[in-house]
Amino acid sequence: MKTLIWFRNDLRVKDHEPLVRASEAGKVAAVYCFDPRHFETTTYGFPKTNSLRAQFLIKSVSALRSTFRKLGGDLIIRQGNPEEIIPKLIKELQIENLFFHGEVTSEEKNVELRIENSVEIRIKKYWGHEMVHPEDLPFQPDEIPDVFTQFRKKIEKSSMIRDPLPVPNHPEFISVDDPGEIPHLKDLGLNAPPADDRSVLEFKGGEEEAWKRLNHYFFESDELRNYKYKRNGLLGADFSSKFSPWLAHGCLSARSIHHQVEKYEREVHENVSTYWMKFELIWRDYFRYSARKHGDKIFKLGGIQQKSLDKRTDENIFQKWRDGTTGIPFIDANMRELKQTGYMSNRGRQNVASFLAQNLNFDWRWGASWFESMLIDYDVCSNWGNWAYNSTVGHDPRNRYFNIVGQAQKYDPNGEYVRHWLQELKYVPDEFVHEPWKMSEDQQKLNECIVGQDYPKPMINLEDSYEEIKKRG
């Protein structure tokens, strides 16, 4: 039997069920398609995938091809719509089976459906993005609880986590005359991203790099034992695991991380931090199963709550938020880090989302789309789920919001992070670094930061905005 494996957000060979089953069935071929729709300009005026994420993707695909070549085969690369390319390959290579990992959101599912409707061979969809397999849930996947705590407790009590699957031994590959070339950024309509040595970590795509990072964080630096206590840090490589870019591209599976956590617990140390790593993986599963349950509601302004909202959509307001020129240092520092590096801490993401959706009362979908474009760890379910959550239209309908300056003072008490990204505030003392507008004119001159000239005036009065949020109820 000849089987074609269609790779998408699963760029690995470890714990890859379609690859394992295809190898058991007979000869295999593998394909990755650079879908041009992923690089189009959005309705908001920026690329759906920006150069930083595209660069990580290209490196991850290149690494997967290298792995296949070491195994004695190759990864077929094509540019174009998968629903057009895959039927041609099936005919050309006389394929009898098509195996792939299933997705849960509409754009991806629609492509799957178009392929299924255009070929007459056996198609098998596997589930490998989740930590808990759909068949191992204590409820039907489309009937998950609407409260995370209920989901988590049932998972922890009743669900097993399957062991990761090994790489197949000596898979037999189908000979391919034209494996294709991996595109460069310019082939995708993108320019080279900015180089910035202020990034917390040099993120390199690919499965090998993913395992290097895991081994470093768990076993070499032994930072896993500190995860619960340091994960809200803002500067430095090891304040959190930083696995998310590799998870998002499928260079590493959630099951593999869980398996390695349990190995760490057996061989090194077990504490609240090792539990918390599993806890976060359950959150990731929850957003994925929520997207599967609620469908396109996760992309609507009113979210899964189906709220009727009236939100701002002024491009000038959005641009200040996007470019990190709001005049609120903690927001601006995080947004500039994202723009320069494609990364932002979890603490930062929650604050900038709350600021856009709540303080500015802006259409949160613009922010979610900007994150989709910029984040190297963009994952459709987690991104849109978290944005909805922080915008009061997701799994927590309460009118919650962050006190931005309070958060900054708690997590960046000395202003080290803010000064790292906002050179304009280099000489501003700790007392004013998160609220430079409170300096007198003489203090501004003394500290070489004239508000409104060297650094923007705040675009809103934060205290007034909190009162407006409370009135919205």
Side-chain angles (χ1 to χ4, degrees):
M1 296 285 282
K2 290 183 176 181
T3 303
L4 178 64
I5 308 162
W6 174 27
F7 281 85
R8 295 190 283 175
N9 298 316
D10 52 347
L11 303 174
R12 63 180 184 271
V13 294
K14 293 179 181 176
D15 195 31
H16 197 286
E17 190 167 6
L19 175 61
V20 171
R21 304 307 170 211
S23 301
E24 292 170 347
K27 292 187 174 183
V28 303
V31 63
Y32 182 87
C33 302
F34 283 87
D35 190 330
R37 291 166 296 202
H38 295 167
F39 304 94
E40 292 176 347
T41 300
T42 68
T43 55
Y44 306 113
F46 44 81
K48 189 175 176 71
T49 302
N50 215 314
S51 55
L52 287 159
R53 180 153 66 91
Q55 181 175 261
F56 190 93
L57 168 65
I58 288 169
K59 288 182 178 178
S60 298
V61 172
S62 179
L64 182 63
R65 166 171 270 185
S66 296
T67 300
F68 270 116
R69 288 179 172 174
K70 289 174 185 174
L71 291 171
D74 210 333
L75 176 65
I76 301 168
I77 305 292
R78 296 288 186 266
Q79 275 186 262
N81 296 345
E83 63 266 38
E84 296 168 6
I85 290 166
I86 288 175
K88 289 179 183 176
L89 276 177
I90 287 171
K91 185 176 180 181
E92 176 188 330
L93 300 176
Q94 299 180 318
I95 296 296
E96 296 157 278
N97 300 317
L98 175 65
F99 292 173
F100 58 89
H101 276 127
E103 294 285 357
V104 297
T105 43
S106 55
E107 286 182 8
E108 294 79 7
K109 286 168 66 178
N110 288 339
V111 175
E112 293 174 11
L113 186 61
R114 287 193 285 270
I115 292 173
E116 291 168 4
N117 290 337
S118 62
V119 297
E120 296 181 356
I121 63 170
R122 178 178 174 239
I123 295 176
K124 177 67 175 174
K125 186 187 301 187
Y126 296 90
W127 301 103
H129 294 293
E130 304 81 0
M131 180 174 72
V132 182
H133 193 282
E135 294 175 2
D136 301 330
L137 291 171
F139 30 70
Q140 290 301 311
D142 297 336
E143 298 174 359
I144 67 162
D146 285 329
V147 177
F148 169 71
T149 302
Q150 294 175 9
F151 177 85
R152 174 184 60 80
K153 287 181 176 178
K154 289 184 178 181
I155 292 295
E156 291 174 341
K157 181 180 179 181
S158 306
S159 291
M160 56 164 277
I161 311 299
R162 299 184 181 187
D163 288 336
L165 294 166
V167 181
N169 286 322
H170 310 296
E172 188 177 359
F173 289 93
I174 299 167
S175 178
V176 178
D177 293 331
D178 177 22
E181 296 294 327
I182 295 176
H184 298 286
L185 285 172
K186 63 181 179 180
D187 300 321
L188 303 173
L190 298 168
N191 297 318
D196 199 313
D197 59 8
R198 290 176 293 175
S199 178
V200 292
L201 183 68
E202 185 181 2
F203 293 100
K204 298 178 182 177
E207 185 171 17
E208 184 178 345
E209 292 293 337
W211 281 95
K212 280 183 184 177
R213 176 61 190 171
L214 186 147
N215 285 322
H216 166 79
Y217 188 74
F218 282 13
F219 302 108
E220 293 170 4
S221 68
D222 194 22
E223 283 290 349
L224 177 56
R225 74 171 64 224
N226 303 315
Y227 175 69
K228 174 72 162 60
Y229 312 105
K230 295 173 65 174
R231 66 193 180 91
N232 282 309
L234 301 167
L235 283 172
D238 291 341
F239 66 74
S240 64
S241 72
K242 308 290 193 302
F243 295 156
S244 55
W246 294 285
L247 262 175
H249 289 80
C251 303
L252 184 67
S253 75
R255 278 197 296 261
S256 289
I257 296 175
H258 182 274
H259 189 255
Q260 291 297 311
V261 172
E262 297 209 318
K263 177 184 177 184
Y264 178 93
E265 288 177 332
R266 290 192 307 271
E267 298 179 4
V268 184
H269 185 68
E270 180 178 354
N271 67 356
V272 66
S273 288
T274 58
Y275 166 75
W276 210 257
M277 180 66 69
K278 299 175 186 178
F279 175 92
E280 295 292 357
L281 290 170
I282 295 174
W283 254 118
R284 181 177 177 273
D285 267 15
Y286 187 58
F287 281 132
R288 188 167 184 85
Y289 283 114
S290 176
R292 180 170 173 164
K293 175 181 179 178
H294 294 288
D296 280 354
K297 287 179 186 174
I298 68 169
F299 304 117
K300 303 297 184 185
L301 180 61
I304 64 174
Q305 300 294 334
Q306 301 185 66
K307 289 184 177 180
S308 178
L309 301 173
D310 183 21
K311 293 286 186 177
R312 295 188 178 114
T313 56
D314 185 296
E315 289 187 15
N316 292 324
I317 292 174
F318 181 73
Q319 188 168 353
K320 288 182 179 180
W321 175 85
R322 185 188 73 184
D323 293 341
T325 55
T326 68
I328 313 295
F330 195 56
I331 300 301
D332 292 345
N334 276 287
M335 294 308 295
R336 292 192 202 179
E337 179 182 15
L338 173 65
K339 198 169 186 179
Q340 290 298 114
T341 71
Y343 180 79
M344 188 193 295
S345 70
N346 180 60
R347 180 58 45 184
R349 294 180 203 206
Q350 293 184 69
N351 275 271
V352 301
S354 180
F355 181 77
L356 183 72
Q358 292 286 72
N359 298 88
L360 297 179
N361 197 24
F362 206 89
D363 186 337
W364 63 274
R365 297 171 299 176
W366 291 48
S369 293
W370 180 245
F371 272 29
E372 176 175 358
S373 177
M374 296 302 299
L375 284 172
I376 57 173
D377 63 359
Y378 171 73
D379 169 273
V380 57
C381 303
S382 295
N383 181 66
W384 289 84
N386 271 306
W387 264 96
Y389 187 91
N390 281 295
S391 305
T392 78
V393 298
H395 283 281
D396 186 350
R398 293 173 297 172
N399 191 32
R400 61 196 299 277
Y401 62 91
F402 286 91
N403 182 309
I404 306 299
V405 172
Q407 288 275 299
Q409 291 170 341
K410 179 177 181 179
Y411 294 104
D412 187 30
N414 301 318
E416 185 182 4
Y417 172 74
V418 160
R419 292 192 191 91
H420 187 72
W421 288 104
L422 306 177
Q423 294 296 305
E424 313 95 297
L425 305 181
K426 183 163 53 172
Y427 301 115
V428 175
D430 296 358
E431 179 185 359
F432 298 112
V433 72
H434 294 301
E435 300 174 286
W437 58 87
K438 288 189 173 181
M439 290 189 292
S440 68
E441 288 186 12
D442 288 342
Q443 288 171 324
Q444 290 179 37
K445 290 177 184 176
L446 178 67
N447 297 313
E448 299 181 25
C449 180
I450 308 300
V451 176
Q453 179 179 311
D454 301 312
Y455 181 70
K457 292 180 180 179
M459 63 187 295
I460 58 169
N461 181 302
L462 283 173
E463 295 305 321
D464 289 348
S465 72
Y466 297 139
E467 292 305 314
E468 289 178 16
I469 293 168
K470 291 173 186 175
K471 289 176 185 177
R472 291 200 293 268

